[in-house]
């Protein structure tokens, strides 16, 4: 479609569609990717508001002869979710469970509903939805219907005689054809087809004729295995299968019609579940035991081998979780369900006795607690994301999910290993072994011509192997582009002709997701990374040492898994959780940066790319992605890098000067804190200055302290004669919450340390990163190293109270000053207060008792871990609750800024943290070591949160469980950073202070 034609289409869509129409270059670049190796830039994107919107969008596309691609979470593995078409993204708005009938065990859902959302509503009635892939926390029902997905509990569905695939759970579908007909289809034409004329009757008639004509070939050539997903479901058109039109459409990958609604079957969910984990010397031996295990009727039977755990080790992931696995190099996870815990345990122990009562028995562990089971499932479900080591061991999907009969799985895997060896390839193995489905991520070299030739030869040989076992090319993720080339080998040319006719019956114009599944693009077309890929090498401030010094390589880390699209749990992408926008995911931002480096659709002007700026604008720089993303995509760092270049020779927004230079204004305000605080909380001065600084009028910012911590420390008599420790005087603890630092001094001295505080105007520069002030940040860090260098070289330990400042020393410092020996020392010798106290020999934590709600700072969770704080609080005798509260939402300067930033900040906080604080008993301590976190809690709940140091101080003073009314001895809510705001009025001076180059 030519640019003028696309603009005309966009105008007509905007006139008809109530939702969002996005034909800008940024949106097109954003939706050019999925979880596969393929990349195709769409014509445009429509985010329909409801089903009627989708009907209107397709009608306009039909008038313009534009192809259409319906899309859910974009987690398809073989290329069916990318195309040069108009993408319909149902995930944002068309995502409801419309009806759930527990008596009939049916649920009626919209295509954008998340699998876990459906499961949660079903489980309230003792039911569940069986086919739950590893992406169940973010994949959508429409995508599962499109791909004919399966999952861990497909085995459970089989126990109820339903079959393991999504197609086996579908009762009815409401679909939209490209020619504009909305049809409700089901079994035997009951849902509305049958007699008379019209398009609906024609479809049913032609489908019956197709089934009759090809029925014998279908019976002969369709594999009789649990997981045949390849090809169209022509077997569901057979009379013995009930001529189920809806099920015949499942797995058609959007090539036939748009799914507007699905009625799905549910199954009983055992009230109690226990996991038996069996460890084997290799995955061949594990696979050999699958048939015997199946005889015990498990509700889940999964497998993976040491290739998964070794990759996790290389990524630094899940050490605690991996430690609970029994000895072995491969594992079967056998989930058993019962009416009671004892019943489920009895089943697990019976199977364990059978497996263990023979020579060469596997090592066995029965996981009866929910915590143990959750740890093991986390390892298995993370196998897809943890299947590659960026820059070291790059694996790719394509031959992703072959399936054979479970009774032949061990022999198939042995022969498959021989094929890999012949081509010099390695693989990460995991999968749904209970149904003979193997997921394998292989280290194809897609960057060279020779590697691409090996890729094609391997696919040919591996396809022949699985078919020789009577298996299926795909056992879960469909055919898309990767498997389509081999469908004729699997089914024969006659049935491939039948596939063409099936598509033509539904889509005579051949406009629904063309080039996928049938008459598809070649397997090596449209590759995201190929021998022709030549990314630009851009000069950067950060060194990106983990990516070979290449920003382009950093943007390639993301391979599209989509874990950042979760709406519950974890920290990663709080802004997506608030907005449900693909552009606000880690994946979306990484893909846009990849496209910027590629320079085809966007990025032709280099760093000055508006689409990237907009996508990064709502990034809270929480670093949740650094920990939650399986390949540690670090959008916070990428954002700082991008903004450094975006603002070169440009004036930054007022908030950048007010908040980014907070250390400068804090030192100025320390000369007259009373005056500054008065102006900051007295109208009309406060409102005027907030408007000038771009700050949210709803916020009361913290008051400047008098005296500062360093002033107080210099005025006291030196104490303590033990080992010396440096206490880092961060800007927040020094100028705003000096009581935190004073409490830390008291705690350290009580533990026998001699506390030293460095002299001079020092700051780690944490706020500078939010605005890309990287030149200044580098200067700050050099000054820090000059000051601390002698002490560091003598082995001094540095205690840092603010987690975000410690994160700078652990992360950004080495990235900005690579190879600096003192930078390495500071990284290794800096620590949390809790880490030092826990390691202090002979120190006994005083008893405090009571309950505490603990919230960990995002940077601490991402880089340091919250376990030391939690252990210290527990040693104080506190009953510590650490719910998964995600991000507080304030995120440094982000939540102080007016407009979208403040609104998103509050949405993020209100997701989990703030309701949890309000629900905590009044006598419980609320503990949050992050300055921003404490400010957000105070702002939204009027409840004071304590730093860990303050909790230790309470215990030392024997103050009982109630905190003092004000540790700092001053009002809790006060004025504005007035000195910084005044400086905003002098734009020239501010620009001189912050010019990057």
């Amino acid at each position: 479609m030519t640019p003028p034609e696309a603009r005309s289409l966009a105008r007509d869509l905007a006139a008809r569609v109530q939702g969002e129409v996005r034909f800008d270059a940024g949106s097109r670049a954003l939706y050019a990717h999925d979880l596969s190796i393929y990349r195709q830039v769409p014509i445009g994107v429509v985010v329909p508001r409801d089903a009627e919107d989708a009907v209107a969008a397709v009608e306009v596309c039909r008038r313009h002869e534009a192809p259409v691609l319906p899309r859910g979470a974009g987690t398809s593995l073989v290329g069916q979710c990318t195309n040069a078409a108009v993408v319909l993204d149902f995930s944002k708005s068309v995502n409801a469970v419309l009806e759930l009938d527990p008596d009939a065990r049916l649920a009626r859902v919209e295509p954008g509903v998340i699998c876990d959302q459906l499961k949660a509503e079903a489980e309230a009635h003792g039911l569940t939805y069986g086919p739950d892939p590893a992406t169940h926390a973010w994949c959508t029902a429409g995508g599962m219907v499109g791909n004919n997905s399966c999952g861990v509990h497909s085995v459970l569905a089989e126990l109820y005689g339903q079959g393991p695939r999504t197609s086996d759970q579908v009762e009815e579908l409401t679909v939209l054809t490209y020619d504009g007909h909305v049809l409700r289809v089901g079994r035997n034409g009951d849902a509305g087809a049958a007699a008379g004329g019209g398009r609906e009757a024609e479809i049913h008639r032609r489908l019956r004729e197709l089934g009759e004509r090809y029925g014998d070939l279908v019976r002969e050539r369709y594999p009789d295995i649990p997981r045949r997903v390849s090809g169209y479901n022509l077997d569901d058109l057979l009379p013995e299968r009930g001529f189920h039109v809806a099920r015949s459409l499942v797995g058609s990958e959007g090539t036939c019609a748009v799914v507007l609604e699905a009625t799905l079957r549910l199954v009983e969910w055992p009230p109690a579940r226990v996991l038996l984990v069996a460890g084997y010397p290799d995955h061949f031996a594990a696979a050999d035991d699958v048939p015997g295990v199946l005889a015990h009727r498990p509700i889940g039977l999964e497998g993976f081998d040491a290739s998964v755990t070794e990759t996790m080790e290389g990524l630094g992931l899940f050490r605690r979780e991996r430690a609970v696995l029994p000895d072995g190099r491969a594992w079967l996870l056998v989930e058993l369900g019962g009416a009671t815990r004892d019943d489920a345990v009895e089943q697990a122990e019976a199977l364990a006795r059978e497996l263990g009562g023979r020579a060469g028995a596997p090592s066995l562990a029965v996981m009866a607690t929910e915590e143990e089971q959750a740890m093991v499932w986390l390892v298995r479900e993370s196998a897809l994301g943890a299947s590659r080591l960026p820059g070291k061991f790059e694996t790719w999907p394509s031959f992703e999910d072959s399936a054979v009969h479970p009774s032949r799985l061990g022999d198939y895997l042995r022969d498959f290993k021989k094929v890999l060896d012949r081509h010099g390839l390695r693989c990460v193995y995991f999968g749904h072994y209970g149904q003979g489905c193997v997921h394998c991520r292989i280290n194809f070299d897609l960057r060279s011509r020779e590697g691409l030739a090996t890729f094609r030869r391997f696919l040919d040989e591996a396809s022949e192997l699985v078919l020789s076992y009577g298996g299926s090319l795909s056992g879960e993720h469909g055919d898309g582009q990767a498997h389509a080339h081999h469908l004729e080998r699997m089914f024969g040319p006659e049935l491939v002709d039948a596939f063409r006719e099936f598509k033509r019956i539904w889509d005579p114009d051949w406009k629904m997701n063309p080039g996928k599944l049938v008459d598809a693009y070649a397997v090596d077309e449209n590759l995201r990374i190929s021998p022709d890929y030549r990314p630009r090498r851009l000069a950067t401030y950060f060194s990106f040492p983990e990516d070979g010094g290449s920003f382009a390589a950093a943007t390639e880390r993301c391979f599209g898994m989509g874990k950042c699209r979760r709406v519950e749990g974890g920290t990663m992408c709080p802004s997506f959780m608030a907005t449900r926008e693909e552009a606000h995911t880690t994946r979306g931002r990484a893909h846009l940066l990849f496209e910027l480096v590629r320079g085809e659709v966007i990025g032709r002007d280099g760093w000055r790319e508006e689409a990237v700026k907009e996508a990064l604008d709502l990034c809270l720089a929480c670093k949740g992605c650094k920990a939650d993303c399986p390949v540690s995509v670090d959008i916070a760092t990428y954002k700082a890098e991008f903004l450094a270049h975006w603002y070169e020779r440009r004036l930054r927004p007022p908030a950048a000067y007010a908040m980014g230079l907070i250390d400068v204004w804090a030192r100025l305000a320390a000369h007259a804190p009373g005056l500054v605080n008065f102006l900051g909380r007295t109208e009309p001065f406060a409102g005027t200055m907030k408007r000038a600084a771009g700050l949210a009028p709803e916020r009361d910012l913290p008051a400047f302290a008098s005296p500062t911590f360093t002033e107080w420390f210099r005025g006291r008599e030196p104490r303590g004669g033990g080992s010396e420790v440096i206490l880092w005087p961060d800007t927040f603890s020094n100028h705003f919450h000096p009581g935190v630092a004073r409490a830390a001094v008291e705690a350290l001295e009580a533990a026998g340390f001699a506390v030293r505080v460095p002299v001079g105007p020092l700051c780690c520069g944490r706020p500078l990163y939010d605005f890309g002030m990287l030149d200044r940040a580098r200067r700050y860090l050099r000054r820090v190293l000059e000051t601390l260098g002698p002490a560091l070289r003598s082995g001094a330990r540095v205690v840092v109270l603010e987690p975000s400042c410690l994160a700078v020393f652990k992360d950004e410092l080495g990235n900005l000053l690579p190879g600096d020996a003192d930078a390495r020392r500071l990284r290794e010798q800096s620590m949390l207060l809790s880490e030092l106290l826990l390691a202090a020999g002979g120190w006994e934590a005083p008893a405090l008792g009571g309950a505490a709600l603990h919230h960990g700072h995002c940077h601490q969770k991402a880089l340091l871990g919250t376990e030391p704080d939690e252990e210290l609080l527990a040693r104080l005798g506190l009953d510590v609750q650490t719910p998964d509260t995600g991000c507080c939402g304030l995120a440094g300067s982000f939540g102080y800024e007016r407009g979208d930033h403040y609104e998103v900040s509050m949405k993020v906080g209100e997701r989990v943290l703030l309701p949890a604080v309000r629900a905590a008993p009044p006598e419980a301590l609320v503990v949050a070591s992050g300055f921003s976190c404490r400010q957000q809690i105070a702002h939204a709940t009027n409840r004071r949160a304590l730093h860990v140091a303050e909790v230790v101080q309470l215990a030392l003073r024997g103050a009982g469980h109630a905190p003092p009314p004000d540790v700092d001895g001053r009002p809790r809510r006060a004025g504005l950073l007035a000195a910084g705001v005044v400086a905003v009025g002098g734009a020239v001076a501010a620009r001189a202070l912050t010019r990057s180059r």
Side-chain angles (χ1 to χ4, degrees):
M1 181 169 276
T2 66
E5 290 171 332
R7 288 193 292 271
S8 175
L9 171 60
R11 284 194 299 269
D12 288 354
L13 282 167
R16 285 291 311 277
V17 172
Q18 298 298 309
E20 300 163 68
V21 176
R22 304 171 180 175
F23 275 54
D24 60 283
S27 295
R28 295 171 61 235
L30 187 66
Y31 284 82
H33 304 257
D34 62 1
L35 182 46
S36 72
I37 62 175
Y38 299 105
R39 168 188 177 272
Q40 286 180 277
V41 180
I43 298 169
V45 180
V46 174
V47 182
R49 190 175 65 178
D50 50 30
E52 289 74 18
D53 242 8
V55 174
V58 171
E59 188 274 328
V60 174
C61 289
R62 182 172 66 255
R63 285 196 281 109
H64 287 262
E65 300 182 347
V68 170
L69 165 60
R71 172 169 159 145
T75 54
S76 296
L77 283 150
V78 284
Q80 60 266 57
C81 259
T82 66
N83 214 328
V86 175
V87 173
L88 302 181
D89 181 355
F90 288 97
S91 64
K92 181 179 179 181
S93 302
V94 192
N95 55 17
V97 175
L98 299 171
E99 182 182 3
L100 196 148
D101 185 341
D103 295 326
R105 296 183 181 175
L106 293 174
R108 188 165 60 89
V109 301
E110 291 181 323
V113 73
I114 294 172
C115 180
D116 270 6
Q117 180 184 346
L118 170 59
K119 286 172 67 71
E121 295 201 24
E123 287 172 18
H125 302 280
L127 303 170
T128 194
Y129 179 68
D132 51 352
T135 56
H136 56 82
W138 59 92
C139 72
T140 65
M144 295 175 73
V145 169
N147 291 346
N148 202 2
S149 297
C150 308
V152 171
H153 294 104
S154 294
V155 175
L156 173 63
E158 279 197 293
L159 295 181
Y160 290 93
Q162 294 188 190
R165 304 166 302 168
T166 294
S167 57
D168 300 309
Q169 323 307 320
V170 167
E171 284 297 297
E172 293 181 347
L173 294 176
T174 300
V175 298
L176 166 67
T177 62
Y178 187 79
D179 54 12
H181 292 83
V182 176
L183 311 177
R184 192 171 180 83
V185 297
R187 183 191 301 270
N188 287 321
D190 291 344
R199 180 79 166 107
E200 187 171 8
E202 176 200 359
I203 288 173
H204 280 73
R205 174 180 57 77
R206 293 179 62 187
L207 289 176
R208 284 190 185 276
E209 291 172 355
L210 184 70
E212 291 168 0
R213 188 160 67 253
Y214 289 97
D216 289 341
L217 277 176
V218 169
R219 295 180 185 96
E220 175 190 341
R221 296 182 181 174
Y222 273 50
D224 184 17
I225 61 174
R227 289 286 193 99
R228 192 281 306 159
V229 170
S230 279
Y232 288 125
N233 293 340
L234 301 187
D235 52 338
D236 281 309
L237 297 178
L238 300 177
E240 61 266 33
R241 299 289 292 269
F243 186 64
H244 207 305
V245 175
R247 291 183 181 178
S248 74
L249 274 174
V250 178
S252 58
E253 304 177 5
T255 62
C256 294
V258 178
V259 175
L260 300 178
E261 207 175 279
T263 301
L264 305 172
R265 298 170 70 180
L266 307 173
V267 296
E268 288 185 22
W269 186 230
R273 297 168 297 282
V274 167
L275 196 60
L276 173 66
V277 185
Y280 295 84
D282 54 48
H283 63 289
F284 310 128
D288 290 339
D289 267 358
V290 164
V293 173
L294 285 172
H296 287 254
R297 297 174 61 82
I299 65 173
L301 178 51
E302 300 290 290
F304 60 90
D305 80 342
S307 62
V308 169
T309 55
E310 288 168 356
T311 307
M312 289 177 175
E313 177 66 26
L315 291 165
L317 296 175
F318 312 129
R319 290 186 177 88
R320 177 169 169 262
E321 288 80 4
R322 286 183 278 115
V324 305
L325 295 171
D327 292 339
R329 297 279 301 167
W331 295 268
L332 287 182
L333 313 185
V334 188
E335 189 175 41
L336 297 139
T340 65
R341 176 77 58 191
D342 289 345
D343 177 29
V345 169
E346 184 179 336
Q347 293 181 56
E349 290 176 343
L351 176 55
R353 286 192 295 273
E354 179 179 311
L355 293 175
R358 66 185 192 204
S363 54
L364 299 162
V366 175
M367 311 288 186
T369 69
E370 290 185 4
E371 181 182 10
E372 289 177 314
Q373 294 176 53
M375 287 195 291
V376 175
W377 281 124
L378 180 62
V379 175
R380 163 60 189 93
E381 291 179 352
S382 301
L384 171 61
S387 60
R388 67 201 317 256
L389 289 169
K392 299 176 183 177
F393 179 52
E394 288 191 338
T395 63
W396 304 97
S398 269
F399 199 82
E400 171 72 25
D401 60 331
S402 57
V404 299
H405 196 278
S407 63
R408 307 192 69 188
L409 182 59
D411 290 339
Y412 168 67
L413 286 173
R414 291 179 178 91
D415 286 340
F416 184 74
K417 176 66 163 57
K418 294 174 185 175
V419 177
L420 286 168
D421 290 345
R422 278 196 293 274
H423 293 278
L425 297 170
R426 291 169 54 208
C427 180
V428 176
Y429 290 100
F430 53 99
H432 310 291
Y433 283 15
Q435 292 172 331
C437 181
V438 181
H439 292 309
C440 51
R441 313 276 297 186
I442 303 170
N443 65 327
F444 298 120
D445 171 18
L446 302 178
R447 299 175 188 269
S448 72
R449 304 288 177 194
E450 182 182 351
L452 206 54
T454 299
F455 169 69
R456 290 191 294 264
R457 288 193 299 268
F458 171 83
L459 292 183
D460 287 344
E461 192 171 339
S463 298
E464 289 290 352
L465 175 66
V466 68
L467 298 179
S468 74
Y469 271 83
S472 177
L473 299 170
S474 173
E476 180 161 24
H477 292 295
D479 298 310
Q481 185 173 335
H483 292 311
H485 176 68
H486 296 99
L487 288 179
E488 191 165 308
R489 298 187 189 195
M490 178 173 173
F491 293 102
E494 300 93 341
L495 284 180
V496 171
D497 282 341
F499 294 164
R500 291 190 182 96
E501 186 172 343
F502 182 83
K503 174 174 170 60
R504 195 171 290 111
I505 289 170
W506 289 102
D507 179 28
D509 296 314
W510 217 261
K511 294 295 185 181
M512 291 300 305
N513 203 14
K516 310 295 176 175
L517 197 153
V518 61
D519 291 344
Y521 297 101
V523 70
D524 55 357
E525 283 187 89
N526 308 318
L527 293 175
R528 178 174 180 257
I529 301 291
S530 73
D532 297 323
Y533 173 56
R534 296 287 186 273
R536 289 178 294 182
R537 195 164 185 89
L538 301 172
T540 58
Y541 291 87
F542 288 114
S543 62
F544 299 101
E546 296 176 353
D547 296 289
S550 168
F551 180 70
T555 70
E556 293 169 22
R557 279 179 172 262
C558 177
F559 59 94
M561 181 183 175
K563 186 179 179 182
C564 44
R565 289 183 60 93
R566 291 179 308 181
V567 294
E568 299 290 341
T571 303
M572 179 168 53
C573 280
S575 51
F576 172 77
M577 294 180 187
T579 67
R580 298 289 186 97
E581 285 283 357
E582 173 71 15
H584 299 149
T585 63
T586 297
R587 179 179 75 174
R589 290 164 176 146
H591 282 168
L592 283 173
L593 287 164
F594 172 88
E595 291 290 336
L596 179 148
V597 172
R598 192 179 187 108
E600 294 175 6
V601 183
I602 62 171
R604 293 173 184 171
D605 295 327
W607 296 103
R608 296 292 173 88
E609 178 51 62
E610 187 67 39
V612 177
K613 172 68 162 52
E614 290 178 2
L616 292 173
D617 183 59
L618 291 187
C619 169
L620 281 73
C622 67
K623 285 191 176 286
C625 49
K626 180 93 172 179
D628 290 0
C629 172
V631 288
S632 298
V633 171
D634 185 2
I635 296 298
T637 295
Y638 306 168
K639 176 182 179 179
E641 183 70 54
F642 175 85
L643 291 179
H645 299 279
W646 171 270
Y647 283 118
E648 283 179 354
R649 296 176 298 278
R650 283 179 170 177
L651 193 65
R652 287 174 167 84
Y657 305 119
M659 306 301 290
L661 300 177
I662 185 67
D663 67 297
V664 175
W665 314 137
R667 289 197 301 273
L668 291 173
H671 296 291
L675 173 62
V676 173
N677 291 332
F678 171 78
L679 293 174
R681 65 174 184 262
T682 305
E683 295 297 342
F685 310 110
T688 300
M689 290 189 294
K690 287 179 185 181
R691 285 190 296 274
L695 303 179
E698 298 88 346
R699 292 278 181 194
D700 287 329
L701 283 92
F704 291 102
S706 181
T708 66
F709 165 68
T710 52
E711 289 170 341
W712 170 83
F713 189 83
R714 287 195 298 268
R716 70 195 293 268
E717 291 294 327
R719 302 175 192 175
S723 174
E724 284 194 358
V725 62
I726 296 172
L727 181 61
W728 175 253
D730 66 88
T731 296
F732 310 107
S733 300
N734 187 24
H735 290 279
F736 298 105
H737 286 183
V740 168
R742 295 200 299 266
V745 170
E746 189 171 336
L748 289 167
E749 291 180 343
F753 293 100
V755 180
R756 302 293 179 260
V757 175
V759 178
L762 298 176
C763 178
C764 72
R766 172 80 267 167
L768 299 173
Y769 299 94
D770 294 339
F771 302 101
M773 298 178 178
L774 298 186
D775 263 350
R776 179 176 286 268
R778 188 184 282 123
R779 292 199 300 272
Y780 279 23
L781 291 174
R782 287 192 175 120
R783 188 185 306 150
V784 168
L785 294 179
E786 288 171 5
T787 303
L788 298 185
L792 291 171
R793 291 189 285 275
S794 69
R797 289 168 289 185
V798 180
V799 171
V800 185
L801 300 174
E802 175 56 40
S804 62
C805 299
L806 183 53
V808 170
F809 296 158
K810 297 291 189 182
D811 189 21
E812 283 90 355
L813 174 61
N815 210 338
L816 279 175
L817 299 175
D820 187 293
D822 283 338
R824 176 184 53 78
R825 293 186 183 97
L826 181 53
R827 175 187 174 119
E828 294 172 354
Q829 292 164 220
S830 58
M831 63 191 65
L832 297 165
L833 172 68
S834 55
E835 291 180 288
L836 184 62
L837 291 179
L838 290 171
W843 181 70
E844 290 292 331
L848 183 61
L853 173 70
H854 178 244
H855 169 73
H857 188 284
C858 291
H859 292 177
Q860 183 173 346
K861 287 184 283 190
L863 297 168
L864 315 166
T866 60
E867 292 81 7
D869 284 358
E870 291 156 19
E871 183 180 345
L872 179 60
L873 294 172
R875 287 197 188 182
L876 295 174
L878 290 164
D879 178 13
V880 184
Q881 301 297 317
T882 309
D884 188 355
T885 47
C887 178
C888 75
L890 190 58
S893 63
F894 182 90
Y896 288 125
E897 297 171 42
R898 68 181 175 212
D900 289 349
H901 286 203
Y902 175 78
E903 293 168 10
V904 169
S905 167
M906 297 312 300
K907 283 183 180 179
V908 170
E910 292 293 352
R911 283 190 58 257
V912 182
L913 171 62
L914 299 177
V917 171
R918 295 187 190 103
E923 66 276 10
L925 296 178
V926 178
V927 185
S929 291
F931 175 81
S932 294
C933 308
R934 297 195 299 274
Q935 292 303 108
Q936 180 80 316
I937 290 168
H939 171 73
T941 70
N942 205 28
R943 188 159 180 174
R944 185 165 181 269
L946 301 179
H947 190 284
V948 167
E950 295 174 296
V951 180
V952 176
Q953 183 186 56
L954 287 178
L956 289 170
R957 293 182 175 183
H961 192 55
D966 191 342
V967 171
D968 289 342
R970 53 183 309 104
R972 281 184 246 152
R973 302 173 68 88
L976 182 68
L977 311 181
V981 176
V982 169
V984 173
V988 175
R991 185 171 187 175
L993 278 168
T994 59
R995 181 173 296 180
S996 295
R997 285 180 176 174

